[in-house]
Amino acid sequence: MTEQYPPTPPQSAGVPSQSGPPPAFPAAPAGPSRPGRFSPRHPLVSGVLGLVVGLALVGIPVLLSDDGGGAGFGGGGGGAELTAPAKLGELRPFADVQRKEGVPKAGKMADGLVEEDRKSGERLSDAYGGAAAVVKRYADDDAETIVTLAAVRSRSPKPYVPYEDRERLALAVPPDELKVIGEVSCVLYNQPTPAGSKPTAESVHVTYCQRTGDGLTVQLRPSGSGLANRPAKVADLVEKAWSELS
């Protein structure tokens, strides 16, 4: 568990009544669930940004460039364009997965997903003063696993989670946790496990994993049953995306 600064007040909008993922900047998920296969209004399908200006979509937190010279948002990007990878590991663009099914209106819904991603990318870019940005969703062939990629040509603060005293709470691990895997930071939500017990893999839920550096931030937010409990796998996909976008 890592205590970050500055602290951020808990969010009230979109956060479930139970203790959930950290109120850091993105909106918190309601917990693991199987995504609707052809619904463009899936929680992950419907957004990517959680911005202080009130954008209710989930994605990269508000990112402040700390490059010298007072550059502000997007100051480290250098203007280089960003093109989303054709694949992420075994995952393909979610829109392509839907089109392949050939069900009625699948093509129209897939086109809608592409347009939503495009507009989300525009909003992310606008939040960084015009820095190059891209948002794209990927899925496996059965849409059991869905991830949202959000990338912007700017440095970001490291993710923040609130401090929680697990001993006071009589828990094996705190509900909110920051797990660092190599260069990737993963924000986790742990279902309550009593002190003295070993948390199960299913009790760990990945909110998002992120890597940031000079001129680039890459974030992945998983949904569905495939990666929601596997932070190391999500971190590996972040590294793959980072390698292609750097």
Side-chain angles (χ1 to χ4, degrees):
M1 177 177 64
T2 301
E3 184 176 0
Q4 297 285 332
Y5 180 86
T8 301
Q11 292 175 283
S12 59
V15 179
S17 58
Q18 67 176 22
S19 176
F25 300 99
S33 62
R34 177 168 175 157
R37 195 167 182 180
F38 298 111
S39 172
R41 294 303 175 188
H42 183 280
L44 189 58
V45 169
S46 64
V48 68
L49 303 177
L51 304 175
V52 292
V53 293
L55 301 180
L57 306 176
V58 292
I60 278 188
V62 175
L63 311 179
L64 298 171
S65 172
D66 61 358
D67 294 333
F73 289 135
E81 292 300 316
L82 280 172
T83 301
K87 294 180 66 177
L88 276 182
E90 299 302 317
L91 305 180
R92 298 186 295 120
F94 191 19
D96 292 351
V97 173
Q98 289 202 337
R99 282 196 184 93
K100 184 179 178 181
E101 297 297 332
V103 300
K105 299 184 179 180
K108 183 176 181 180
M109 287 189 290
D111 291 342
L113 294 177
V114 172
E115 181 66 6
E116 287 178 359
D117 285 349
R118 184 187 67 79
K119 290 182 177 179
S120 292
E122 289 179 350
R123 289 187 174 188
L124 181 56
S125 175
D126 184 64
Y128 286 90
V134 66
V135 173
K136 197 177 188 73
R137 284 161 286 187
Y138 298 83
D140 59 7
D141 289 339
D142 296 322
E144 295 288 339
T145 297
I146 302 173
V147 299
T148 293
L149 165 71
V152 61
R153 290 252 182 246
S154 182
R155 175 181 283 276
S156 310
K158 292 181 180 179
Y160 153 83
V161 299
Y163 176 77
E164 295 161 317
D165 189 339
R166 67 178 183 84
E167 293 185 359
R168 179 184 64 80
L169 297 171
L171 296 174
V173 291
D176 300 309
E177 182 181 5
L178 181 63
K179 186 178 182 66
V180 178
I181 304 172
E183 298 294 326
V184 179
S185 298
C186 292
V187 175
L188 310 178
Y189 163 57
N190 298 309
Q191 289 181 330
T193 300
S197 301
K198 182 178 181 180
T200 64
E202 291 74 21
S203 71
V204 179
H205 306 293
V206 181
T207 304
Y208 66 90
C209 292
Q210 174 182 299
R211 178 175 176 179
T212 188
D214 289 337
L216 182 63
T217 294
V218 173
Q219 185 187 103
L220 280 182
R221 183 178 294 269
S223 180
S225 59
L227 294 174
N229 311 109
R230 306 175 72 181
K233 290 290 185 180
V234 179
D236 181 62
L237 288 179
V238 170
E239 290 289 14
K240 290 181 184 300
W242 179 276
S243 178
E244 292 206 34
L245 295 172
S246 294

